[in-house]
Amino acid sequence: MAQRLLYGVRDVGFAPYGEYWRQARRVCALHLLGPRRVAYFRRVREQEVDALIARIRHEAAAGGAVNLSDVLICYSKAIISRAAFDDGDYGLDGDEGGEKLRRVFADFQELVLASPMREIAPWLGWVDTLTGLEGKTRRMFEALDGLLERVIADHRSRRSGGRQVPADGEVDDHRDFVDVLLDVDEMDKDAGLRLDTDNIKAIILNIFAASTDTSSTVLAWAMAELMNHPHEMRKLQDEVRGAACAAGRVTEDHLDGMPYLKAVIGETMRLHAAAGLLIPRETTEDTKLLGYHVPARTRVVINAWAICRDPTAWERAEEFAPKRFVDAPVDYSRVGLDFRFVPFGAGRRGCPGAGFAAPTMELALANMLNHFDWASMAHGGGRRQGTPLVDVSEVFGLSVRLEAPLVLVAKPLSGLG
Ligand code: HEM
């Protein structure tokens, strides 16, 4: 499926180890997701957090509970779309409010992990047609491909109207990801990386899939754990409200003064490694491991979820205890060096987007706790003693998510705009 949906795995995450992957990864890590680019998108994050808070406030005012799983996906998708395509008004035909596009992306994330019958037994390919998998895959791919084609054509035509490729060493920071990738051909001549339209589509799709579900999933888990641990919720709310009280709104300037916020996010990622099984690896040579012979080209699946909960590595491994990250905060510029904590993977295939994800998650969580008090739908509703307020059953997809959507009651704090 990855072959088919990612243009012959010409992305980064699924591309086999080799020269193409090395160059494409360098472009991602340096030109798309490096610290300067992350800093540049600060305005986008702050605007989208305002939109997130306004949406929650609107739903709360309408008297209903808020489907946080939904609004968090919209939030992380809005940030990555703006970073990738700028403010271009791209969408699918007749797609009011981007709902169709959200569904197409959700289908992409589900299908890229699907195991069609014809992958297992090619002569049984007709089963995929009968089950509808084949049709769904074709429709989803055509919709996404058409959208990406429009985005890239539009960027190309804007550029032909006199846009300058930055000279050596000069960085035009106003470029979105598509612009940067289109510039790579010019800038990277010496390195020898050529990116055609399909390469650019595959990389953009990879970044969408890698960033949307993961960041919003971590945020939903953090809210669920805080609901089930009211003491931790109060502690974090005190920190956030203490730091932001005069401003009424948490900005990125406040984040460095919020160690507990960072600890809560670190602990959430430890307990709920979003990409539970990482991306499968393949051994490149015959290897001996713990006395076993592992032949070259063996598929290796790494259970990051279990490693992060390993009782030989973590005290009270199954408990939500943010305190453990207060004195040892996650360093997003060096993820994957501590082999006990691998929510971003490890080694040379480790996530290059951790530094992009961190302020996206921190800013949203801080503002949600600053603007609202939260209650569960189950409050006072005949709940049995000892049952958690929020059901934390999991479901495994591209990320390990809460099984049921997280629906909470938001009570706006008076006096905060
Ligand atoms: C909380 C948020 C995130 C989590 C938990 C996460 C987790 C991961 C994991 C586990 C991997 C596989 C690593 C491995 O196999 O060792 C990965 C790869 C990757 N991630 Fe992330 N990620 C997050 C956010 C992002 C963001 C925001 C971006 C881009 C904007 C991104 C881009 C990528 C890319 C391009 C790869 C493939 C790297 C390669 O194969 O060389 N990720 N991520």
Side-chain angles (χ1 to χ4, degrees):
M1 274 306 222
Q3 280 281 349
R4 180 168 174 189
L5 301 183
L6 290 162
Y7 303 86
V9 288
R10 287 197 266 166
D11 63 325
V12 185
F14 286 90
Y17 182 66
E19 193 50 28
Y20 172 75
W21 166 78
R22 221 191 327 268
Q23 296 290 352
R25 170 153 179 128
R26 187 177 57 81
V27 166
C28 269
L30 207 69
H31 298 299
L32 301 186
L33 304 170
R36 282 234 304 247
R37 305 293 297 157
V38 172
Y40 172 68
F41 290 119
R42 170 181 173 153
R43 189 179 59 94
V44 169
R45 286 186 294 272
E46 291 186 346
Q47 287 174 351
E48 290 306 329
V49 160
D50 287 349
L52 167 74
I53 296 303
R55 186 146 181 220
I56 296 174
R57 197 179 290 283
H58 174 78
E59 291 191 19
V66 182
N67 184 332
L68 263 190
S69 302
D70 253 17
V71 293
L72 290 172
I73 287 185
C74 290
Y75 164 71
S76 57
K77 206 155 276 174
I79 290 181
I80 198 67
S81 323
R82 290 182 61 185
F85 312 151
D86 197 6
D87 293 355
D89 187 17
Y90 301 106
L92 302 173
D93 290 342
D95 191 9
E96 292 292 314
E99 185 47 40
K100 262 192 195 168
L101 186 60
R102 270 201 295 281
R103 240 178 300 129
V104 170
F105 268 115
D107 285 348
F108 171 83
Q109 287 169 333
E110 179 196 321
L111 291 170
V112 82
L113 285 186
S115 301
M117 201 45 118
R118 67 172 183 175
E119 271 183 23
I120 299 158
W123 63 92
L124 289 179
W126 55 269
V127 175
D128 300 329
T129 310
L130 269 189
T131 58
L133 181 67
E134 180 55 33
K136 187 173 173 184
T137 307
R138 190 171 21 79
R139 283 192 301 278
M140 180 278 298
F141 184 73
E142 280 167 7
L144 268 189
D145 183 63
L147 169 75
L148 291 170
E149 191 71 46
R150 276 204 304 284
V151 169
I152 294 170
D154 194 33
H155 278 68
R156 282 210 167 101
S157 78
R158 269 198 262 153
R159 297 154 67 86
S160 63
R163 202 183 165 286
Q164 296 272 311
V165 173
D168 256 5
E170 181 193 333
V171 178
D172 171 3
D173 262 339
H174 297 275
R175 295 170 302 156
D176 59 35
F177 289 178
V178 172
D179 273 326
V180 173
L181 293 172
L182 286 168
D183 283 345
V184 160
D185 253 0
E186 290 299 320
M187 294 196 307
D188 262 30
K189 266 195 186 108
D190 296 340
L193 180 65
R194 311 304 309 227
L195 293 178
D196 65 17
T197 304
D198 280 356
N199 291 122
I200 295 177
K201 287 178 187 168
I203 294 175
I204 293 288
L205 262 182
N206 177 185
I207 283 180
F208 254 96
S211 72
T212 314
D213 239 28
T214 45
S215 313
S216 58
T217 299
V218 173
L219 282 168
W221 279 118
M223 285 300 287
E225 290 292 359
L226 289 169
M227 291 304 299
N228 286 342
H229 298 84
H231 171 72
E232 304 293 348
M233 172 71 100
R234 262 192 310 280
K235 205 163 161 181
L236 182 52
Q237 257 165 345
D238 286 349
E239 175 181 90
V240 169
R241 290 175 186 175
C245 60
R249 163 180 185 259
V250 182
T251 69
E252 293 197 6
D253 290 331
H254 296 112
L255 296 177
D256 277 345
M258 297 186 181
Y260 214 68
L261 172 75
K262 291 166 193 279
V264 163
I265 292 177
E267 176 67 345
T268 303
M269 290 192 292
R270 183 192 70 80
L271 262 186
H272 303 285
L277 298 180
L278 303 185
I279 302 177
R281 307 284 214 279
E282 196 177 78
T283 51
T284 50
E285 52 192 55
D286 287 5
T287 311
K288 268 225 165 320
L289 184 70
L290 301 174
Y292 292 93
H293 173 71
V294 185
R297 308 221 53 209
T298 300
R299 181 173 290 194
V300 181
V301 177
I302 300 168
N303 192 340
W305 186 95
I307 292 171
C308 289
R309 288 173 175 234
D310 181 356
T312 62
W314 298 96
E315 248 177 64
R316 297 178 290 121
E318 295 290 327
E319 265 178 48
F320 179 71
K323 204 163 65 228
R324 64 177 109 228
F325 282 98
V326 171
D327 294 327
V330 179
D331 179 351
Y332 290 94
S333 62
R334 295 161 57 83
V335 294
L337 294 181
D338 175 352
F339 288 112
R340 301 173 314 146
F341 180 76
V342 287
F344 293 103
R348 51 190 161 201
R349 300 299 294 237
C351 177
F356 189 98
T360 303
M361 297 187 294
E362 291 169 5
L363 199 65
L365 187 59
N367 274 289
M368 287 193 297
L369 297 196
N370 189 39
H371 283 83
F372 305 98
D373 281 329
W374 294 89
S376 145
M377 303 287 287
H379 261 312
R383 198 165 45 95
R384 280 221 321 274
Q385 192 135 39
T387 325
L389 273 176
V390 172
D391 177 8
V392 288
S393 307
E394 300 172 326
V395 63
F396 181 67
L398 200 55
S399 59
V400 184
R401 299 189 308 270
L402 279 157
E403 187 172 15
L406 182 63
V407 179
L408 296 178
V409 179
K411 302 179 190 161
L413 249 62
S414 54
L416 286 183

